Amino acid sequence: MSTSLPRSTARLKTLLSGYYQDLGAAAKDPSRKVAWCTSAGPVEVLAAMGFSVYFPENHGALLGARRLATNLIAKSNARGYSPDICSYLTADIGAYLSGQTPLSAAYGLEAPPKPDVLVYNTSQCREVQDWFAFYGREYGVPVLGIYSPWKVETPLPREAVSDVAGQLKRLSEELAPIAGKKLDFDRLASVVRCSAQATAHWKGFLETARRRPSPITFFDATIHMAPIVVMRGRQEAVDYYRELLDEAQGLVKAASAAVPGERLRFYWEGMPNWGKLRFFSDLFSELKICAVASTYGHSWAFEGLDPERPFETLAEANLRVFINRGEVYKEAYLKKMVKDYGIDAIVFHEAKTCPYNTNSRFGLPQRLQERHGIASVTIYGDLCDLRCFSEEQTRTQIEALTEQLAPLPRRAG
Ligand code: SF4
């Protein structure tokens, strides 16, 4: 995929290379501790306690993007992990069972760093618990979890916030003997401050897409989001996103269009299809469609993190994440995004192996159409398993929607 952000794309490679090489060094150094963590957190608590933090979901996405996942999934299936469950999980466990990792070619790591502890959070799904339990058995290390109440509406229930905040505090106590030290509250405040700044810059970057024509696309967001997941809480992430925002604002000033001749503006709802991003990017460019925003990208635009109230505001951010919200909230959120970004239609990606981040199965597209006149299409695929996806069928669906919204001029003759 071409990028309209060359400066940041070059910096991204260096940043991620440094992150992974440091993880490799941490895994070999007995004085350092490695924690594996889920994408929505609680990375801030782990980072504040001195853990080097690795994210298996990012590894799953990499396996998908490199199109290695489909073959690896079969290895997990043979160990009893169903082809119907999360393909990040089955691809990642398949890679472990095969002794393969794209981290070798990309960053020179022999293998993902061996964990000293695994920490999950069920705010996104139940899969992560079973995924980490597998590695807990394999490596013989503790597996700890935060259990978040699901489907919360607005306002956030106070009892849910204090429940999760209490679990985060208890987690820090359980981690202390593994880390070899107690949580330093000044350090936690500083990590939360960095997370707040990095996520604010990330949000600012995504919001440059409000401009018409948009200077960036959803595909740019998928390229530049890795540090907001894996390096949240670090000063390097703050610096990276400040410069990314600066580069995108430069494009706004120059009236640059990510899709020259932008005719339609789409919203991507659901997981990316990592192995087919180029297909979608090319198809949308050909039809002069700019995918300007996505639930996925905005899921890391946390708001309200406060270094003075770290546990409470981390709990709130954790509960507020879209995947964890009720249907009333989701409908209102999508309606607002359509208005704010001048969206012509929503593409709902029904990901076969991720029902949690699929929002087309319980009538939401129909309610958005009937109550708010919002057009949409539901396409079928997966985050990693390419067997679930048909290019021909998807192209036909997107072309039909485009034709209905804004027919392309017919060629003469
Ligand atoms: S939210 Fe979906 S993609 Fe993410 S870990 Fe859970 S099942 Fe997998």
Side-chain angles (χ1 to χ4, degrees):
M1 286 181 297
S2 62
T3 175
S4 44
L5 300 151
R7 218 169 65 216
S8 297
T9 303
R11 289 187 69 237
L12 180 68
K13 287 191 184 128
T14 311
L15 186 68
L16 289 177
S17 182
Y19 163 75
Y20 277 109
Q21 276 160 21
D22 183 59
L23 269 176
K28 288 184 181 151
D29 181 346
S31 71
R32 296 179 67 187
K33 301 289 176 189
V34 174
W36 288 16
C37 184
T38 40
S39 62
V43 60
E44 286 83 359
V45 174
L46 293 164
M49 298 190 75
F51 287 97
S52 298
V53 189
Y54 169 78
F55 294 80
E57 281 159 84
N58 185 248
H59 194 236
L62 201 55
L63 292 166
R66 301 279 165 107
R67 301 190 181 186
L68 299 168
T70 305
N71 289 338
L72 296 171
I73 288 167
K75 302 270 178 198
S76 291
N77 300 157
R79 273 288 277 264
Y81 287 85
S82 162
D84 292 332
I85 62 171
C86 174
S87 58
Y88 277 172
L89 180 164
T90 48
D92 180 64
I93 290 180
Y96 168 83
L97 294 171
S98 324
Q100 286 184 40
T101 175
L103 299 177
S104 302
Y107 306 112
L109 260 63
E110 286 161 26
K114 185 177 174 302
D116 295 288
V117 63
L118 300 130
V119 184
Y120 62 84
N121 186 331
T122 62
S123 64
Q124 58 191 91
C125 64
R126 63 147 287 168
E127 247 83 342
V128 288
Q129 182 177 2
D130 290 289
W131 187 355
F132 282 24
F134 169 85
Y135 286 114
R137 290 189 294 273
E138 288 293 310
Y139 288 114
V141 297
V143 185
L144 307 173
I146 301 289
Y147 296 86
S148 299
W150 275 5
K151 292 215 164 259
V152 292
E153 292 289 357
T154 302
L156 293 181
R158 292 322 299 168
E159 61 278 14
V161 174
S162 50
D163 172 11
V164 175
Q167 290 189 56
L168 288 168
K169 265 185 222 159
R170 272 199 304 283
L171 174 72
S172 68
E173 289 156 15
E174 288 169 345
L175 287 167
I178 304 166
K181 58 183 153 194
K182 286 188 176 167
L183 176 64
D184 172 339
F185 283 86
D186 289 338
R187 178 81 195 116
L188 180 62
S190 149
V191 170
V192 169
R193 188 172 297 107
C194 283
S195 271
Q197 290 170 354
T199 55
H201 294 324
W202 172 244
K203 185 163 183 272
F205 164 71
L206 296 176
E207 285 180 345
T208 60
R210 288 190 187 205
R211 183 179 151 275
R212 192 182 286 266
S214 171
I216 60 166
T217 68
F218 159 64
F219 305 104
D220 289 315
T222 61
I223 291 168
H224 293 279
M225 70 185 302
I228 203 65
V229 179
V230 304
M231 299 182 77
R232 213 164 60 241
R234 297 190 187 198
Q235 186 58 44
E236 298 108 289
V238 178
D239 298 341
Y240 176 75
Y241 285 109
R242 188 188 298 111
E243 293 191 26
L244 177 66
L245 172 58
D246 182 60
E247 191 172 7
Q249 284 171 336
L251 295 176
V252 169
K253 277 197 198 105
S256 175
V259 176
E262 176 190 296
R263 290 190 321 124
L264 290 168
R265 294 162 69 85
F266 279 9
Y267 184 92
W268 185 276
E269 211 309 297
M271 295 297 293
N273 183 335
W274 289 107
K276 291 290 171 181
L277 290 178
R278 180 181 291 279
F279 163 78
F280 280 105
S281 171
D282 290 349
L283 175 62
F284 284 11
S285 289
E286 185 191 316
L287 297 171
K288 308 286 181 212
I289 299 164
C290 188
V292 294
S294 67
T295 310
Y296 192 68
H298 280 265
S299 291
W300 279 272
F302 299 144
E303 284 175 29
L305 290 178
D306 180 353
E308 303 297 319
R309 295 186 302 125
F311 288 123
E312 192 183 349
T313 57
L314 283 170
E316 286 170 354
N318 168 112
L319 289 164
R320 267 198 210 110
V321 70
F322 184 87
I323 195 170
N324 198 48
R325 306 308 293 270
E327 293 294 300
V328 173
Y329 172 87
K330 286 181 177 177
E331 184 179 325
Y333 178 86
L334 292 176
K335 182 182 163 210
K336 184 170 180 338
M337 291 299 276
V338 164
K339 180 167 176 287
D340 291 351
Y341 284 80
I343 305 284
D344 296 296
I346 300 177
V347 176
F348 280 91
H349 177 206
E350 186 155 328
K352 167 97 168 30
T353 70
C354 179
Y356 312 94
N357 227 351
T358 290
N359 289 292
S360 49
R361 294 182 179 176
F362 296 94
L364 185 54
Q366 289 74 9
R367 287 196 295 283
L368 287 166
Q369 173 71 62
E370 284 159 17
R371 297 189 198 184
H372 314 296
I374 296 170
S376 67
V377 64
T378 299
I379 58 164
Y380 300 88
D382 192 49
L383 41 144
C384 286
D385 192 340
L386 294 175
R387 294 168 297 186
C388 307
F389 181 71
S390 156
E391 285 191 5
E392 292 75 28
Q393 186 186 333
T394 306
R395 171 178 271 278
T396 304
Q397 288 183 279
I398 298 289
E399 284 179 346
L401 177 66
T402 307
E403 196 57 20
Q404 182 192 327
L405 293 167
L408 281 165
R410 303 263 168 236
R411 286 204 189 98

